[in-house]
Amino acid sequence: MRQLLDGHATFRREFAAGAAPFLQKLASEHQSPGALYIGCSDSRVVPELLTSSAPGDLFVVRNIANAVPPLNDADASVGAALDYALEVLHVEHVVVCGHYGCGGVKAVLDGHKKLKQMTSLYEWLDHLAPSILASRIELVDPEEQWRAAVEANVMQQLVNLTTFPAVRKRLEAEELWLHGWVYDLHSGGVTVFDPAGERFVPAEHALERGPV
Ligand SMILES: [Zn+2]
């Protein structure tokens, strides 16, 4: 805890003091983020850091393995954030960002049934299991398997987003864009899903294609 309080003191001294007008402006206006970011709770994947975002730029939901429970699922926490982001904040972009090396995805690949004593975690992972397990390919190197499962999990969450009528309506009206990303812990780079090539490509390539 000492580390957190010391860190906060540094934030007050080195950022907040010099950014008083910016913070006042943020506080006096409604928030107006450009994107809803749905990512993993993993402490090593920090959305604001990897996108160079400032306070006010991103509306963020993080949970184990960046999951989007479909509409009418018992867990409505992501759906609630989605409703607010679309209906109130009118965000135009939703990013689902997984990451290679995701422990939640690995737990499913390794057989999450042994985690049954952690009821909530078990049930959460059980939701993710079908698409992750479907991504398994015989004789593939375990590391490759893990990477493929991470990507499949991101893609499934994009599909789950379309179970929400508000998402479908805005997609059809071309008022909303969904993005699948995977962050690489080693390089700090992001790969993004390219619908044209149906594969993940480095974010730099996506930028070269023009506005996204
Ligand atoms: Zn993770």
Side-chain angles (χ1 to χ4, degrees):
M1 188 47 61
R2 180 67 200 233
Q3 187 183 351
L4 294 183
L5 291 172
D6 283 347
H8 177 63
T10 303
F11 167 77
R12 292 290 304 273
R13 191 174 57 246
E14 296 185 2
F15 177 80
F22 172 64
L23 293 177
Q24 283 302 321
K25 185 171 182 295
L26 276 183
S28 62
E29 296 174 354
H30 293 297
Q31 63 169 322
S32 177
L36 166 61
Y37 171 101
I38 300 168
C40 184
S41 298
D42 193 303
S43 58
R44 299 166 295 179
V45 188
V46 183
E48 290 81 2
L49 193 62
L50 69 94
T51 58
S52 300
S53 293
D57 287 347
L58 291 178
F59 195 63
V60 174
V61 176
R62 293 173 71 180
N63 58 39
I64 301 276
N66 44 274
V68 180
L71 182 66
N72 297 327
D73 187 89
D75 188 293
S77 62
V78 180
L82 187 61
D83 279 346
Y84 193 75
L86 294 183
E87 305 290 353
V88 180
L89 302 176
H90 306 293
V91 302
E92 294 184 347
H93 299 274
V94 179
V95 176
V96 175
C97 185
H99 65 100
Y100 298 120
C102 183
V105 171
K106 186 72 159 56
V108 174
L109 286 173
D110 288 348
H112 63 292
K113 297 227 177 326
K114 57 185 171 230
L115 302 175
K116 259 189 170 166
Q117 77 282 6
M118 292 187 268
T119 311
S120 295
L121 178 59
Y122 168 76
E123 289 181 2
W124 187 256
L125 294 176
D126 206 42
H127 271 89
L128 302 174
S131 60
I132 290 174
L133 296 179
S135 73
R136 284 190 299 192
I137 309 162
E138 290 298 323
L139 304 176
V140 166
D141 167 71
E143 201 63 31
E144 262 185 65
Q145 187 70 80
W146 193 0
R147 291 172 68 87
V150 163
E151 294 175 359
N153 182 52
V154 167
M155 298 312 295
Q156 182 61 49
Q157 309 320 311
L158 294 178
V159 171
N160 290 355
L161 280 170
T162 64
T163 63
F164 293 84
V167 170
R168 288 201 303 275
K169 188 177 77 178
R170 283 170 174 76
L171 286 174
E172 283 162 16
E174 298 193 340
E175 295 170 354
L176 180 69
W177 287 265
L178 306 183
H179 309 271
W181 289 12
V182 180
Y183 177 73
D184 188 315
L185 293 170
H186 293 282
S187 69
V190 159
T191 51
V192 304
F193 183 72
D194 170 21
E198 295 194 344
R199 63 195 176 95
F200 283 82
V201 299
E204 305 85 81
H205 294 192
L207 272 178
E208 283 165 10
R209 283 202 313 272
V212 288

